[in-house]
Structure formats: C-alpha cells, structure tokens
Amino acid sequence: MPAAPSPPSPLNAFKARLAAGGPLTGLWLSLGDASAAEVCADAGFDWLLIDGEHGPNDVRSTLDQLRAIGDRTDAVVRPPGGRAEELRPLIDIGVRTFLVPMVESAAQARELVRATRYPPHGTRGMASAVTRASRWSRTPGYLEAADAAMCLVPQIETPGAVAAAADIAAVDGVDALFVGLYDLSAALGHLGVPDHPDVWGAFTRVVAACRAAGKPCGTFAPTPELAAAARREGCSLLAVGSDVGLLVRGCADLLARSRAGEEKDGADGKNGADGL
C-alpha cells in the first residue's frame, strides 16, 4: 500500500508574491465570522486580512477563520497590538503573515522579527510538536524552514512612524510596510480625510522609503479613487474594502432597489386602473 503523501514544507506563497512586486489586492475581514471568511475566500481576492485589532477576534475565532479560508487564498492576520508577545499564540495556530499595527521604530520592528524566529535568531518558543503551525510535527523539515516562512508587515500610522519609516523598512525580516492612512489622517489633524495633502505627503514619504529599501508598500484604500491614487504612487499591496463595508453597501443597495421597484409597481398599477 503506497505511503500517504507528506504535507508540504512551510513555504509562504504570500511572502513570495509580495517580494516579486506584483499587485496584490486584498479584503479586510472585520466580522469575526468563519462563514463570512469562507464566502470571501472564494471571491478571488489575493489575500484576506483577519483583523484582531478592531474586529471581535481572539485566537480561537482567528483559528476558525484560518480553517475556513484554507488554501483558497492567503490569510494575513493583524494582532490586537504591536507587542511581540501578541504574535506568539497566533504563530502556533499557523499564522505566517502578520500586519502589525502601530509600529513606531526600528527597535520595535526588530523585536517583532525576533518574536517570529526560533533561537538563536529569535525568541519563539519550542512547541512545534503540539501546534497546528507544524501540523503537529507532520510537516517535514518544519523547524529548519519555519523562520524563512514568516512574513512581517509593520503598519505606519503616526508622524513618528513616518519619520522612522526608512529605518523600519531597512530591518532584516521586515517584508513590507503598510500605511494606515486613516489613523495617520487623525494623527495629523485631518480626521477621516486620507487624501488631504498633508496626509498624502506623509504617505508618499513612506512609499519612497520602501522603494529605497527595495521593499513593497501597501495601504487600505476602500474607494476606487483612493486605490487608483495609491497605485499611481507605487503601492502594490492594497486592501480595497471590508466584509462589513460590503454588507452595509449591499443592504443599502438592495433596499433602495426594492423600494424603487415598489414605487414603480405602484405607479404602474395606478396608471392601469386609471386606464380602465
């Protein structure tokens, strides 16, 4: 009887595609629901982000969504904050790509890199035998390949982080930077105006820092105009909306069409009655 095929090595397809520089279009998952994640995973996005900062997620719900997404597309996870210890339980459930909020310095970025690596290069705990990350030790060569499979994308969201962007981008183990345009707009005194000249000027400085470091840059651009402008600046990693946004707009559009149909039906009925 032939042996069962071995699970694949812990490669990270998202990291490879990110490094290749091609456009990667993603969607934010903010509902914290595995069924919603599964629906979105079949839509064709290059990546989905499970949001643990502003979404109602914990380690268990994140795990449920990872399972729902499966290999349909690449899953990225945003932990609740920018502390290294917030990454460790997520790594153990199989997260390989992190979008980390509120990274302010190269020193913080280096600590985050170390949290995703085994000793002697980092501080990750040796628990692969009992974790999903290694498929419970069923993945051949996991320990040797795990470090290289990790992908780290710090978020730049404050003026201080913008000033430090070049140093953060230069950290070995940082794969890209991601500008939080809406938090940055608030920090710069232009709340909810991500395309204000001051905000956009800060954004382009981060893009330039990434370009100088040879690393991609991304942002959240939920309108076609904002996404097009970000692409023109050289952003290759874009989140173009969220599951919540799709649901809100879908509900509003459906209700408007329904009500328009009711009005039309009513008008047609009235005209028909008058004609009789």
Side-chain angles (χ1 to χ4, degrees):
M1 184 173 180
S6 298
S9 300
L11 302 176
N12 187 330
F14 179 84
K15 180 173 182 171
R17 291 193 296 155
L18 186 62
L24 296 173
T25 302
L27 182 76
W28 233 247
L29 299 180
S30 299
L31 289 170
D33 182 82
S35 293
E38 188 172 15
V39 170
C40 293
D42 284 332
F45 289 99
D46 297 311
W47 56 284
L48 299 174
L49 180 126
I50 302 170
D51 190 6
E53 183 187 19
H54 295 302
N57 282 306
D58 56 15
V59 175
R60 176 66 67 177
S61 68
T62 299
L63 174 58
D64 289 342
Q65 289 169 85
L66 290 175
R67 286 172 170 156
I69 292 168
D71 60 0
R72 294 174 178 86
T73 187
D74 288 310
V76 179
V77 171
R78 181 162 70 170
R83 294 180 293 118
E85 56 266 31
E86 293 176 284
L87 275 59
R88 294 189 183 108
L90 296 168
I91 296 172
D92 284 345
I93 63 170
V95 178
R96 293 177 185 161
T97 302
F98 288 96
L99 183 74
V100 182
M102 292 292 177
V103 177
E104 294 288 310
S105 68
Q108 183 185 0
R110 282 191 289 270
E111 283 304 304
L112 291 166
V113 172
R114 284 178 55 78
T116 66
R117 269 65 173 177
Y118 285 121
H121 305 294
T123 59
R124 180 181 174 186
M126 292 294 297
S128 64
V130 295
T131 64
R132 181 177 182 268
S134 70
R135 305 306 296 178
W136 304 278
S137 293
R138 293 182 178 129
T139 301
Y142 177 80
L143 291 176
E144 294 76 15
D147 284 3
M150 300 305 301
C151 181
L152 182 68
V153 183
Q155 275 196 263
I156 306 299
E157 303 181 83
T158 67
V162 172
D167 291 337
I168 297 170
V171 170
D172 187 24
V174 166
D175 295 281
L177 298 185
F178 195 93
V179 182
L181 280 174
Y182 287 86
D183 282 285
L184 186 57
S185 72
L188 289 171
H190 306 292
L191 187 66
V193 190
D195 56 352
H196 186 281
D198 293 345
V199 181
W200 206 251
F203 170 57
T204 59
R205 288 197 293 277
V206 178
V207 176
C210 287
R211 189 178 296 117
K215 294 179 181 178
C217 190
T219 194
F220 180 74
T223 67
E225 297 78 15
L226 200 59
R231 289 190 185 98
R232 285 195 296 270
E233 295 296 342
C235 268
S236 59
L237 179 65
L238 288 180
V240 293
S242 68
D243 53 0
V244 170
L246 291 172
L247 184 60
V248 168
R249 287 192 300 276
C251 287
D253 290 347
L254 178 61
L255 183 59
R257 290 196 304 271
S258 178
R259 286 177 171 166
E262 290 171 359
E263 292 172 2
K264 183 177 184 302
D265 290 344
D268 290 344
K270 182 178 179 181
N271 291 337
D274 288 346
L276 289 174

